[in-house]
């Protein structure tokens, strides 16, 4: 009788472990599928938050720069323009900014046919000035524009930064990016080089 009870308990334990392993594997599969769905829905929502897409004519604007000068997009016809939307509190924006001196400014900054316009979205002049002063200490130094009330940004998108719009010599958007990925950023730099040929 005791022997039967021991065997029964062992079989029950093995059975319970088998159920537990099965449940864990089922849970992991569900989590993985949900993560993929969330990534897709995140990409979909980012795309839905875009107003201007590849192939569209870039909406005109005038932006006041931090140094007091202003830039007008319509004055840049015939040039390749990289329009970048960012904010001081945005970690991916700052990761992107670390790449800009080497991969954008050094590579294309001397070319008179290339214009880089980084526009701070929804922030005060004081906040932007403070951040640019900090960045300058780390070798990140270039003119930036101010869009405190998001007037310019709202012409291009509803949400999500950093955002880049690469505009060709005819004023057409030929490349866009949302967020920061090193490989994608390098690809954008190569696209700029192609447009400047």
């Amino acid at each position: 009788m005791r022997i039967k009870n021991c065997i029964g308990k062992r079989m029950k334990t093995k059975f319970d472990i088998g159920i537990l392993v099965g449940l864990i594997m089922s849970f992991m599969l569900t989590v993985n599928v949900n993560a993929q769905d969330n990534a897709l829905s995140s990409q979909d929502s980012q795309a839905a938050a875009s107003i201007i897409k590849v192939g569209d004519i870039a909406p005109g604007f005038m932006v006041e720069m931090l140094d007091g000068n202003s830039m007008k997009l319509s004055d840049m016809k015939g040039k390749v323009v990289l329009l970048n939307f960012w904010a001081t509190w945005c970690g991916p924006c700052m990761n992107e900014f670390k790449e800009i001196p080497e991969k954008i400014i050094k590579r294309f900054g001397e070319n008179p046919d290339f214009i880089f316009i980084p526009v701070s979205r929804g922030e005060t002049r004081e906040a932007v000035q403070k951040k640019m002063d900090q960045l300058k200490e780390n070798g990140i130094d270039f003119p930036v524009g101010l869009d405190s009330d998001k007037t310019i940004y709202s012409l291009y998108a509803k949400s999500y930064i950093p955002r880049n719009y690469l505009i060709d010599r005819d004023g057409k958007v030929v490349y866009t990016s949302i967020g920061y990925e090193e490989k994608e950023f390098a690809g954008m730099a190569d696209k700029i080089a192609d447009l400047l040929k």
Side-chain angles (χ1 to χ4, degrees):
M1 185 93 165
R2 280 188 191 158
I3 294 171
K4 283 185 180 176
N5 283 342
C6 287
I7 292 171
K9 284 183 181 177
R10 274 194 209 149
M11 287 178 69
K12 188 172 189 242
T13 304
K14 285 183 180 178
F15 179 72
D16 290 347
I17 290 172
I19 289 175
L20 183 62
V21 168
L23 286 172
I24 290 170
M25 291 185 72
S26 175
F27 174 75
M28 290 174 67
L29 183 62
T30 302
V31 168
N32 189 35
V33 168
N34 286 339
Q36 289 174 347
D37 287 346
N38 286 340
L40 290 174
S41 65
S42 177
Q43 289 172 354
D44 292 343
S45 63
Q46 287 179 8
S50 298
I51 295 170
I52 299 302
K53 298 174 177 60
V54 170
D56 293 341
I57 296 298
F61 62 84
M62 181 158 56
V63 61
E64 182 185 356
M65 304 303 284
L66 190 58
D67 63 8
N69 291 319
S70 60
M71 297 179 87
K72 197 172 180 182
L73 186 62
S74 59
D75 291 342
M76 296 168 205
K77 196 141 187 166
K79 298 183 186 297
V80 174
V81 177
L82 176 57
L83 174 61
N84 170 273
F85 290 104
W86 66 284
T88 61
W89 49 263
C90 167
C93 299
M94 294 301 101
N95 288 337
E96 199 169 67
F97 266 33
K98 290 174 189 170
E99 301 284 342
I100 288 170
E102 186 68 28
K103 293 189 177 158
I104 301 296
I105 305 298
K106 190 174 179 182
R107 191 169 173 191
F108 309 113
E110 297 295 317
N111 191 323
D113 289 335
F114 175 73
I115 306 289
F116 174 52
I117 311 174
V119 177
S120 169
R121 181 196 79 165
E123 298 188 284
T124 65
R125 174 183 293 276
E126 293 75 25
V128 175
Q129 184 68 65
K130 182 179 177 183
K131 177 57 78 172
M132 293 312 295
D133 289 345
Q134 290 170 352
L135 292 173
K136 190 173 184 177
E137 293 173 12
N138 295 311
I140 301 169
D141 185 23
F142 41 78
V144 296
L146 303 166
D147 186 22
S148 300
D149 59 3
K150 301 182 186 177
T151 300
I152 300 167
Y153 181 78
S154 65
L155 297 172
Y156 287 80
K158 297 173 187 173
S159 58
Y160 298 108
I161 52 174
R163 276 185 179 269
N164 289 291
Y165 294 88
L166 185 55
I167 304 165
D168 72 8
R169 297 173 190 270
D170 297 319
K172 185 167 70 173
V173 175
V174 294
Y175 178 91
T176 66
S177 70
I178 304 170
Y180 169 73
E181 287 183 23
E182 190 175 345
K183 187 176 179 182
E184 186 177 35
F185 192 84
M188 181 177 69
D190 290 341
K191 182 76 175 170
I192 294 168
D194 289 343
L195 290 172
L196 289 171
K197 284 180 182 173

